[in-house]
Amino acid sequence: MNGLASAAIKMAGLRGAAWALDPRIEPGRHAALRPAGPESARIEWLYWVIFWICLVVFVLMMIGFARAARISSTSVSDRAILEDPQGDRRSAWGVGIGLGITTLALFVVLVFSIAEGRPIEGVATQNDVTIEVTGHQWWWEVAYPNSEADLRITTANEIHVPVGERIAVVMKSGDVIHSFWAPNITGKRDLIPGYASAISFQVDTPGTYHGQCAEFCGLQHAHMGFSVVAESKREFEAWQRQQLQSAIEPSEPETKRGRQVFLTHACVMCHTIRGTTAASQMGPDLTHVASRNRIAAETLPNTPGALAGWILDPQSIKPGNHMAANALAGDELEALITYLESLK
Amino acid sequence: MPVQTTARLTDSELHERLERTWGHPKGVWGWFSNVHHTAIGIRFMVTAFIFFLLGGILAAVMRTQLAFPENNVLGPDRYNQFFSVHGSTMIFLFAVPMMFQGFGVYLVPLMCGARNIAFPRLNAFSYYIYVGGGLLLWIGLLLNVGVDTGWFSYVPLSGPQFTPGKRADFWAQMITFTEVSALGVAVCIATTILRYRAPGMTLNRMPILLWEKLVVSIAVIFAMPAVMVASSLLLLDRLVGTQFFNPAEGGDVLLYQHLFWFFAHPDVYIIFLPGTSIVSTLVAVYTRRHIFGYTPIVISMIATAFLGFSVWVHHMFATGLPPLGENFFTTATLMIVIPTAAQFFCWLATMWNGKLQFKLPMLWLFGFLFVFLIGGLSGVMLASVPVDLQVHDTYFLIAHLHYVLIGGAVFPMFAGIYHWFPKITGKFLNEALGKIQFWLFFVGFNVTFFTMHFLGLRGMPRRIYTYAPELHWSGLNLLASSGAVFMAVGTLVFLWNVGSSLYGGAIADINPWAAGSLEWGVPSPPPSYNFLYIPTVNGREALWSAVANQPVVTGLRTDIQEMLVTHSLDSEPQYREETAGASIWPFLTAVAVSAAFVGSIFTAWAVPIGAVPVTIALIAWLWPRGSSSTSKRATALEPLAYER
Amino acid sequence: MRTQSALLAGLIGVVVAGVGVSCRREDRILRQPPTASATLNTVQMSGLNAGANPAPQPPVPNIYEESAYATSEGQRLYEQYNCVGCHAHGGGGMGPALMDENWIYGSDPANVFATIMQGRPNGMPSFRNRIPEYQVWEITAYVRSLSGLLPKDVAPSRSDEMNVKPSESSTPRQTPTGITGTPEPKR
């Protein structure tokens, strides 16, 4: 459908538009018209249906106005007022028919919208994977609940899902209104304080899909991203098992020193590393921070340099976010980075 | 004192006497005492245009920030203030004051055939209150107290915990100012249209613009209280410690959204319908024929305003409301397309069977048709819940809203300015400069905002102060920002045009466009008393249906400001009454009310203490004026008559 | 027309003059260097002194007390660093109340700062090296606002939390005992 659309647009001469709609992106780059699952595929189909109806209407109206706008040679000094009762009678029919076609087209849009809306907005009671997402200023707390408390996974900003299975995401907000939006996957849903909300989706194409907060939530709304990693069932279960482990015990002296730095500085006030005494719920869980692709809510790549810069001065990267700068000596910082990079 | 009669007066003698009675007061004191609608209407339009420029400057800086990824022209705090003040300025301080209040206050009494607007002091008060609100918001921005939570300031972000300081309070109080102003003007305009129309101008013969202003006035009266409630409850939560929007204590976050959008959606029709009436008016003039489908257009406007109150939830489709409810609002949103489509078809039919004169206003009208149609069609996309769930709160939405607001208001505004500038000032605007402005603005606008449709589909949410280069939004953002340059240059060309025309433009005569409505029957610019004699009307286009000896009404007093009050439906003369003349009290009351409102942001004591000067000012305002009214002198009055 | 131009010019003049002045209350200082301070060494804890009374020291100002944003950050940090665990929302519990006028170690900004940084006997932990200094100043500002020591426009308003007690209008009427001399019923 996408290729047909861009071919048609190319034929219409709007080459720039075609480029914008169909760039050479691999799955994982977000776009509402590159669906990775049935929900976004439905929305994409509905979008094109409405788009073509609208385009036809637009072209017809423009042709009509262009025809009506044939410039008269009469000058303004000709003050005579036109009366054309026959023309007006024809126009009455024209207006009536136009209104009828408009109403019909709108009705078609309405029926399709309602029909496609139902499967998208419904959430089944039985789902293969249920995920709890809590929105905070300006990061996403992600949890995989389980009836057994020690099988509950807690992580941040990066959501893993198995391909081809039904996922339910239950959402709530920890402070202000946020909005969970991964355009390749499905439509957005607001996280509203005082309300719990749930959406359901399925991802059929493996890959990493970017998402972003879509409701203005304060100073760092621009940097509140998340990603959805869709992988095979085997990889997903391996990831789950790994996430359930406590933090890897450091074996090297440098790594041990890094843990010491972590536990004796401001880090413990906000972060949890399971397996140590750090258990604060204020900021993201760091037990497996090295297993994530990006840090700081998808703002930075997860590399030692970026991590060091983030720890030393988060306010220069995300001014106004809730992580304070840390005065660490060079060797302390190195040890800390070594430790954090070992937390796979 | 013997009553002056108009019988056996020459036109110039009558003009002299009326000038003496109705003349605009002079000097600084006189400037603030002037309550004539032409003066206040010009002030509304000029002030609103200044806010348009200021909001545009903010937008230009925002586009500079977004032209490149990870730019640092504006940090997050400044950017948040800029986009919030930009939106608030454009909607509250430009669009409604220009389209409804500015054009309405100036044109409505003239089109009715009246010498002044109803309740002229309330009208003047509304203007000064509006200026107070605008100053509050903008002085706030300059003092770092600019609102930073968006033009609709959702709670809990704008609540007491998450917006410290006074920023949201300044915004919420600005709402109070502007909505009091709009309500005041709505009362004045509605009353003028219903009671001050010239004899013979039955409802069926009212110009479309008057129908539209009547409909919009009623929409304002119903819509404004909702935002007053929303902003007042926000102020109470922030300043007094109430729990209206605190879910932990039984409040509800969505309540704010419902209250706000119940106002704000009709508000966009309050902005858009004046645009359509300008289009209807101008299309008739420039195709040299009556508008096709007068009755369908009037019914469409009423239907749009009415249905406008039933669609507000389409701004909240992403909040997770029950699907059945959302489908109801999809239906209503699609239904409201039908009356607007009817208007489009009627304009098309008018042009089809007319003799089109391609004057500059028509260029702007074609721009309107192109731009607003795109905006309306993208609105149809947004009405569909699944599609909306993808593009809500993205740049697609920003594209849509600018297409409908700039297309639906700014383009007709420029068309109206080019059309009525000769009447208001007596000078023509330069056509060549106008065409240059149009093309710069039109091309720049489409480059900027059409690009944003793609950005939204690519995943760019709104209200972000920067973005990463890996997201591949950079090229399109740079394109969008470059279009803004054209729009800015076009606007500068317009300012040059206005400035040079005011001081050296071609002189305009009484009816250069051979238009049909009553304002084209008075000199350009209109004298202080508007009409030498109150006209009578034979048809929908008063001047086109006027006969050689068209009767006028004589007998109104020339020593006091006397108005003819007619019946609401058939416009038969009912009685004569004195209207309020120049008075300083609207201005002083507005100052007192502004002080009380602004003070109440800082301390509750401002309410009882501030009430004292307000009360004094109101008492002075409403103090009875004595016996220049007519009851004891009824027998000595010259009877009203039709003459000629 | 001339009057209007004059008025407009006057207005622009006022506004331009105002541009240079920004409202201290609305300052949002987002980037803070994590510096060490020498404040701790000069704070006087109590009025008791051996020997002659020392010269009175000028109070150390807390620049964050002028900023509503900083005080609001203090409110956030007060909860997120779990000051509420001992001090509740100012009413106290395991720790002393912070909303009253009793300040065991002094209510000046420097005193509160030192209390948080150094810790105090009977359970107040020391947060030095745990909470960055500027955040301790922000918490100081908030704590002082709890007992009304900050101007009203800077102090934070209510938070979006549950109230500790239900509002007075929703508690049932209770007959006060002891006033009429009626003894409480025996159980």
Side-chain angles (χ1 to χ4, degrees), chain B residues 140-348:
Chain B
L141 177 66
L142 293 166
L143 292 179
N144 201 22
V145 200
V147 59
D148 61 347
T149 43
W151 79 270
F152 38 85
S153 274
Y154 278 170
V155 292
L157 182 63
S158 62
Q161 183 172 347
F162 296 100
T163 293
K166 297 290 174 195
R167 290 176 172 183
D169 305 307
F170 273 47
W171 175 85
Q173 206 60 296
M174 177 274 296
I175 301 272
T176 311
F177 279 92
T178 49
E179 120 247 325
V180 167
S181 170
L183 281 170
V185 169
V187 166
C188 297
I189 287 182
T191 312
T192 309
I193 294 174
L194 289 173
R195 300 300 254 140
Y196 277 171
R197 294 198 314 280
M201 190 187 284
T202 63
L203 282 183
N204 200 20
R205 290 180 185 164
M206 245 169 41
I208 299 238
L209 196 132
L210 290 184
W211 269 112
E212 170 266 313
K213 291 285 181 269
L214 179 61
V215 164
V216 169
S217 300
I218 296 175
V220 164
I221 292 170
F222 278 97
M224 292 290 165
V227 75
M228 179 186 289
V229 172
S231 64
S232 302
L233 294 186
L234 178 63
L235 280 168
L236 286 174
D237 262 24
R238 290 179 56 85
L239 299 175
V240 173
T242 52
Q243 310 283 357
F244 291 109
F245 305 124
N246 181 8
E249 280 290 321
D252 194 324
V253 164
L254 282 183
L255 172 65
Y256 179 88
Q257 296 193 23
H258 281 290
L259 283 171
F260 187 84
W261 289 113
F262 185 79
F263 149 78
H265 193 88
D267 193 45
V268 309
Y269 291 110
I270 290 167
I271 296 169
F272 167 61
L273 284 175
T276 64
S277 72
I278 293 178
V279 173
S280 297
T281 309
L282 266 54
V283 160
V285 169
Y286 292 105
T287 53
R288 313 302 309 141
R289 54 156 296 165
H290 285 87
I291 188 88
F292 174 86
Y294 175 92
T295 308
I297 289 183
V298 168
I299 295 179
S300 291
M301 292 194 298
I302 297 172
T304 305
F306 182 74
L307 285 173
F309 282 91
S310 67
V311 300
W312 80 91
V313 174
H314 68 222
H315 301 268
M316 298 165 60
F317 280 154
T319 56
L321 296 171
L324 180 62
E326 291 184 340
N327 291 334
F328 170 83
F329 284 95
T330 298
T331 312
T333 309
L334 293 173
M335 264 169 59
I336 208 172
V337 174
I338 298 173
T340 309
Q343 293 199 56
F344 263 74
F345 293 135
C346 289
W347 297 326
L348 180 60

Side-chain angles (χ1 to χ4, degrees), chain A residues 264 266 282 313 315 322 324, chain C residues 30-31 76 80 129-130 132 134:
Chain A
T264 53
M282 186 172 151
D313 194 2
Q315 295 295 322
H322 291 160
Chain C
L30 299 179
R31 290 194 58 192
R76 173 182 72 81
Q80 288 187 323
N129 287 338
R130 290 284 188 269
Y134 77 91

Side-chain angles (χ1 to χ4, degrees), chain B residues 330-368:
Chain B
T330 298
T331 312
T333 309
L334 293 173
M335 264 169 59
I336 208 172
V337 174
I338 298 173
T340 309
Q343 293 199 56
F344 263 74
F345 293 135
C346 289
W347 297 326
L348 180 60
T350 311
M351 286 192 234
W352 197 279
N353 294 322
K355 276 187 295 188
L356 187 63
Q357 320 252 307
F358 222 100
K359 295 277 168 192
L360 189 55
M362 277 313 290
L363 197 56
W364 283 99
L365 291 190
F366 277 104
F368 154 80

Side-chain angles (χ1 to χ4, degrees), chain A residues 120-150:
Chain A
I120 291 169
E121 296 215 44
V123 183
T125 36
Q126 297 287 2
N127 296 283
D128 298 306
V129 181
T130 305
I131 306 173
E132 283 177 8
V133 169
T134 307
H136 297 280
Q137 282 179 321
W138 292 276
W139 59 283
W140 302 90
E141 182 186 333
V142 176
Y144 291 71
N146 196 297
S147 49
E148 300 188 38
D150 60 345

